[in-house]
Amino acid sequence: MKLHLHIEDKANWLSKKVPCIIAGPCSVESEEQVFQTVQEIAKSGKVSIIRGGIWKPRTRPNAFEGVGEKGLKWLKQAGLTVGLPIATEVANAEHVEACLKNNIDILWIGARTTVNPFSVQEIADALKGVDIPVFIKNPITPDINLWVGALERINAVGITKLAAIHRGFSSFEKSIYRNAPMWEIPIELKLMCPEIPIFCDPSHISGDKDLIPLVAQKALDLEMDGLMIESHINPLVAKSDAEQQLNPSELINLLNQLIIREKNSQSEDFINQLEQLRAVIDELDGELINKFASRMNIIEKIGTYKSQNNVTILQVERWEKILKNRSFLAKKVGLSDEFIKKMLELIHQESIRVQTNIMNKPKN
Ligand code: PEP
Ligand code: MN
């Protein structure tokens, strides 16, 4: 599905610096904290936008919920002293009004708001007739339609300076990430709407500052337009997200280490080699598809036998044996266990679907 948004070309309004770096504290805590952080991070010369949270959506009550409207003045002032635009999160119409009153340059909608169409619509209504860039974080649940829906609602009131921020997704599964990146989702968004700038927020994906460089580099290698990274003058005493905030010198080190790879190479040798390798991939994919078709034919035959003999579709022992054996085979050839398990699960789901159709066919 293609997404039809009326978006202004990013070259007209986004910083020319590539990648576009948005950095600043998770929360604005005090005038000095914002001022010092902003002064230090601006020294890198690589930051294009300053971020800072004023109203903090906390998962559990009784945590620090932000300094409120007075923080907007500190943030704006800090931005002015270094000549950079500032961005903050809005979650309702009141926040939007306060931001507009204080000349905030860019607004973003947080993950807990994108998930709720009522809130997004309230923000959209408050933005009618206003020309301000709005960044929309992905919803906490891995549902691309909620993300797209929020972009459409904000775009529908005339906001054309739009961007998306990928900050990962909540998951019950244990993982090294605070929020599972599920890279396929922002990639799908890019396919649906290639003109929309997409930033990555490696801070909220990682939840731990040691993981940030890896996630940030991956985002750039997936051709994301920029990064939103949390930085605090002294993360040890940060009132929110302390574990994932970088101090300004850590941020600058990270920015200096990031590798900006080219989209393409002009080298003829490279182009030839790539073409040859891609031809092999095309052939292998053709073979894989034929093999899947042969496998499905057998599955259909088995389904027919089972149906004729009144035997159930799912046999847990057989499925367990397959998983164990294929995992062993995959390991021998250096394939990741997770990949093989996911692939088998997909194949198994499809086999069950095919056999269910056979079972449900009326018998002659
Ligand atoms: C934040 O940026 O500090 C924040 C609350 O982010 P998210 O909406 O991604 O959780
Ligand atoms: Mn945060």
Side-chain angles (χ1 to χ4, degrees), residues 62-293:
N62 306 320
F64 173 66
E65 292 189 330
V67 292
E69 197 169 333
K70 65 175 183 281
L72 291 175
K73 292 191 176 40
W74 306 335
L75 195 56
K76 179 71 191 176
Q77 199 50 44
L80 285 174
T81 57
V82 294
L84 289 175
I86 58 157
T88 199
E89 174 177 348
V90 291
N92 58 37
E94 219 178 292
H95 297 165
V96 172
E97 272 164 38
C99 286
L100 297 178
K101 202 171 77 194
N102 285 279
N103 298 316
I104 301 307
D105 305 285
I106 297 165
L107 308 179
W108 88 77
I109 297 181
R112 290 163 192 77
T113 307
T114 309
V115 86
N116 181 354
F118 287 129
S119 303
V120 175
Q121 192 57 49
E122 177 182 326
I123 294 169
D125 292 340
L127 284 170
K128 228 172 251 167
V130 181
D131 179 25
I132 190 170
V134 178
F135 299 168
I136 303 185
K137 289 205 176 192
N138 66 253
I140 42 178
T141 47
D143 181 346
I144 193 168
N145 286 325
L146 280 171
W147 203 1
V148 164
L151 289 162
E152 287 173 328
R153 283 176 198 276
I154 299 297
N155 193 221
V157 297
I159 300 287
T160 54
K161 297 176 178 115
L162 263 186
I165 303 178
H166 166 232
R167 51 77 79 198
F169 302 87
S170 270
S171 149
F172 188 62
E173 268 173 48
K174 276 211 164 39
S175 131
I176 53 165
Y177 301 106
R178 176 177 175 195
N179 289 293
M182 299 181 158
W183 298 99
E184 63 281 11
I185 297 181
I187 291 172
E188 178 68 24
L189 183 67
K190 214 177 176 61
L191 289 175
M192 288 168 87
C193 187
E195 59 277 17
I196 191 153
I198 305 186
F199 300 116
C200 178
D201 171 345
S203 305
H204 288 89
I205 289 176
S206 304
D208 174 340
K209 71 188 174 87
D210 294 340
L211 252 184
I212 293 176
L214 214 81
V215 177
Q217 186 62 54
K218 179 153 182 183
L220 296 187
D221 291 339
L222 292 175
E223 293 186 1
M224 298 231 180
D225 298 85
L227 301 169
M228 179 186 257
I229 306 176
E230 287 185 340
S231 177
H232 188 291
I233 191 71
N234 183 2
L236 288 175
V237 298
K239 292 187 176 168
S240 60
D241 289 350
E243 309 76 30
Q244 72 191 31
Q245 299 207 60
L246 302 176
N247 67 35
S249 73
E250 288 167 333
L251 175 75
I252 293 172
N253 275 344
L254 167 65
L255 297 180
N256 288 337
Q257 274 167 25
L258 289 172
I259 304 166
I260 317 294
R261 296 192 165 93
E262 298 294 327
K263 284 198 175 171
N264 268 311
S265 162
Q266 299 311 318
S267 143
E268 228 169 84
D269 208 33
F270 170 83
I271 294 169
N272 286 339
Q273 291 252 17
L274 193 67
E275 257 172 32
Q276 279 177 28
L277 292 171
R278 283 183 171 163
V280 179
I281 292 286
D282 292 348
E283 206 162 299
L284 287 172
D285 281 352
E287 282 176 29
L288 277 176
I289 288 172
N290 286 335
K291 291 278 182 217
F292 281 141

Side-chain angles (χ1 to χ4, degrees), residues 320-338 340-341 344:
E320 276 174 346
K321 254 191 211 158
I322 289 185
L323 279 178
K324 209 163 155 195
N325 166 268
R326 308 308 189 254
S327 172
F328 170 75
L329 293 177
K331 201 170 176 183
K332 276 213 303 204
V333 293
L335 287 173
S336 104
D337 202 37
E338 193 191 343
I340 259 341
K341 283 209 172 106
L344 283 171

